Amino acid sequence: MVEILHKALPDDLRATNPLPGMRPLADDQWLRVDDAYPAQMSYRRKLLRRRRDEVLWQSDVALEAIAELSDRVCEKLPSLGFNITSGAIVCPDGEAIERDADGPLAVLAQSIQEDICILQKDGDEHLLSAALLCFPASWTLAEKAGRPLSVIHAPVQGYTVDIAKRVQRMFNAVRPEQPLWRNNMLGYTDPDLFQPRAENDPERQADPVDVAPFVRAERQCILRLPKSDALVFTIHSYVVRTK
């Protein structure tokens, strides 16, 4: 068990809205660096080295979108305390990540705290075409790779057909100039950020937030890439001790 804790939840994550619960977000606010950055990044880099096939997947269809996302992230990083050179990303913890030493999605995995899902339209639905998932909260990347939204969310309690249609309509309407965000919050007995779970495994019973020893919250943002028209879903994970 790896325990990486935040000092406190940000104020904007202390309340949750029913699904889908999306709200507008300024274009410069979908990436964050917080007090858990050094410890989270050390863990992310270790997972990429030791369990790469479990935490990173991409299809050829997503290559253009990944390159576009990488450029956009690098544009945002200097305002968050990063130093971008022609060959490396120098991170707030002092680590220099070579930009050409690995694929761009793996470089992002070693640089930012956010997990990333790239979704691209195929027919009437968006499919998961690439993902960086170092901190899964009870789901497994291999089971979701290449699948449509309706199938990806099928095991989620409360994710009804009506909500699935509303989410798809919302995804269709996301504009490049207007990202969206939502958050969730669950009680946990285990603070580890890497908690994959197969769909056929028994579902973990969520502990009531007011009595659980740990609370895990996710800040989830959605933005559209203007050139590739792909959607990017980012997940910034927080864990705090309640007792």
Side-chain angles (χ1 to χ4, degrees):
M1 181 178 69
V2 177
E3 182 174 299
I4 299 172
L5 303 178
H6 288 79
K7 295 176 183 177
L9 290 180
D11 289 341
D12 59 354
L13 266 67
R14 293 180 182 275
T16 58
N17 294 321
L19 288 169
M22 305 302 299
R23 289 154 281 177
L25 179 71
D27 184 53
D28 61 350
Q29 293 182 358
W30 51 275
L31 294 175
R32 281 185 173 179
V33 171
D34 59 43
D35 60 274
Y37 182 92
Q40 282 198 2
M41 296 314 302
S42 176
Y43 195 17
R44 292 172 73 83
R45 293 163 189 152
K46 184 182 296 184
L47 287 167
L48 192 66
R49 290 194 305 269
R50 299 180 179 180
R51 312 182 77 151
R52 185 184 180 101
D53 290 345
E54 296 178 63
V55 302
L56 189 148
W57 172 84
Q58 63 186 52
S59 65
D60 290 343
V61 174
L63 295 179
E64 178 186 356
I66 292 170
E68 184 180 3
L69 175 63
S70 177
D71 290 344
R72 187 164 181 184
V73 169
C74 286
E75 290 174 359
K76 305 291 183 185
L77 292 184
S79 66
L80 295 170
F82 294 77
N83 183 25
I84 309 298
T85 71
S86 59
I89 298 173
V90 183
C91 301
D93 62 353
E95 290 289 326
I97 310 302
E98 295 184 30
R99 298 178 68 176
D100 296 330
D102 208 339
L105 199 57
V107 170
L108 293 181
Q110 299 172 75
S111 305
I112 62 175
Q113 287 175 266
E114 282 77 11
D115 281 332
I116 293 169
C117 297
I118 293 179
L119 300 144
Q120 293 177 276
K121 195 74 175 291
D122 183 23
D124 294 332
E125 283 197 88
H126 282 84
L127 308 181
L128 182 65
S129 61
L132 153 64
L133 186 69
C134 291
F135 298 155
S138 299
W139 61 287
T140 300
L141 176 56
E143 294 182 336
K144 311 298 185 180
R147 302 173 79 181
L149 277 175
S150 59
V151 177
I152 288 172
H153 289 109
V156 177
Q157 185 176 6
Y159 198 87
T160 63
V161 173
D162 178 63
I163 290 176
K165 291 178 179 178
R166 289 166 56 196
V167 169
Q168 184 57 60
R169 287 196 298 269
M170 178 193 65
F171 274 34
N172 291 342
V174 175
R175 307 189 311 274
E177 69 276 12
Q178 182 60 82
L180 303 172
W181 79 284
R182 70 176 301 273
N183 61 293
N184 62 20
M185 186 185 302
L186 290 171
Y188 274 74
T189 56
D190 181 351
D192 201 328
L193 286 158
F194 182 72
Q195 294 204 39
R197 182 183 68 84
E199 290 182 3
N200 59 359
D201 287 348
E203 185 173 358
R204 185 189 71 84
Q205 294 297 312
D207 302 298
V209 169
D210 57 346
V211 300
F214 301 96
V215 167
R216 177 170 178 156
E218 293 180 336
R219 182 179 189 260
Q220 304 169 350
C221 302
I222 301 174
L223 57 145
R224 185 179 297 279
L225 300 175
K227 294 180 181 178
S228 62
D229 200 42
L231 290 178
V232 178
F233 184 82
T234 68
I235 307 166
H236 192 118
S237 297
Y238 297 80
V239 179
V240 297
R241 184 188 297 276
T242 61
K243 295 182 179 180

